[in-house]
Amino acid sequence: MIKLFRYIVIVIVIAVAAGYEVSAQIPTNNLQQANGVKRNLQPRSNKGVGKKIEAARDKFLSQQLELTDDEADKFWPLYHQYQEELKAIRILKRLNGKSATGSPEKELYYDNQMLTTKRRYLDEFLKIIPSSKISILYKSEQAFNDEVIKQLSERSIRAGN
């Protein structure tokens, strides 16, 4: 497990060093107030680093969830769609915060979009896996994120930053 986290940290450090250009293609069906902003989420170099992080996360979650083959076949496409929607909302929220016209109302709007998306997907996840595994999913996602942040912080301290 420690090797997995070290691998994740190395991939993230490479991604940070490469300097990502953050933007998104916004799904207009869910985020109509996005005013038609369209962008691509492309790294400037080291193409595929984001995919490696996602793969490491998926591998970690697979170990934690212990999905059957049938559950996995239905779960992973839905989970990836869920992650893409959340990513688009986070990017829009970040862009709103950086703009001179960023308002608290828009912040709350994006928070509400996040909550609505999570609720909608919770219902979909419940059709595929039991609530006990969904609970494990949410806890494992948080554990994964916490470990990545911890590893990055430790590396930053060791590097003298």
Side-chain angles (χ1 to χ4, degrees):
M1 179 121 114
I2 292 173
K3 285 184 179 182
L4 174 64
F5 287 125
R6 284 186 183 155
Y7 172 75
I8 293 165
V9 170
I10 290 169
V11 170
I12 290 173
V13 169
I14 291 170
V16 170
Y20 266 86
E21 182 176 295
V22 178
S23 54
Q25 184 171 358
I26 296 114
T28 55
N29 58 343
N30 292 332
L31 304 171
Q32 294 174 351
Q33 293 183 5
N35 298 327
V37 176
K38 285 189 177 182
R39 305 190 195 270
N40 291 322
L41 218 173
Q42 297 285 331
R44 290 185 189 157
S45 60
N46 290 338
K47 292 182 180 180
V49 172
K51 295 288 184 194
K52 290 179 182 178
I53 294 169
E54 290 173 8
R57 181 194 63 213
D58 290 355
K59 183 177 178 182
F60 177 73
L61 293 177
S62 291
Q63 292 171 345
Q64 300 300 311
L65 292 174
E66 299 176 348
L67 299 172
T68 65
D69 290 339
D70 186 46
E71 289 173 336
D73 289 343
K74 295 175 184 173
F75 174 77
W76 288 113
L78 184 64
Y79 180 77
H80 292 134
Q81 183 180 346
Y82 164 72
Q83 286 298 318
E84 287 299 316
E85 285 191 36
L86 292 180
K87 186 188 314 181
I89 296 167
R90 281 195 290 284
I91 290 169
L92 286 173
K93 185 176 179 180
R94 209 173 305 134
L95 289 173
N96 176 61
K98 289 182 179 180
S99 73
T101 61
S103 69
E105 289 83 15
K106 279 196 173 184
E107 288 272 328
L108 290 174
Y109 168 77
Y110 293 125
D111 288 343
N112 188 42
Q113 287 295 323
M114 282 280 241
L115 184 60
T116 301
T117 301
K118 288 180 179 184
R119 282 188 176 150
R120 188 176 75 245
Y121 278 93
L122 172 62
D123 292 339
E124 295 299 316
F125 290 150
L126 283 169
K127 294 176 185 175
I128 299 170
I129 58 177
S131 61
S132 59
K133 287 188 179 183
I134 293 172
S135 180
I136 292 169
L137 169 68
Y138 293 149
K139 289 176 184 174
S140 298
E141 283 178 323
Q142 189 62 50
F144 180 85
N145 293 336
D146 289 347
E147 185 63 27
V148 168
I149 290 168
K150 177 183 168 193
Q151 293 287 332
L152 284 173
S153 296
E154 289 173 2
R155 284 183 178 261
S156 178
I157 290 169
R158 279 184 272 175
N161 295 330

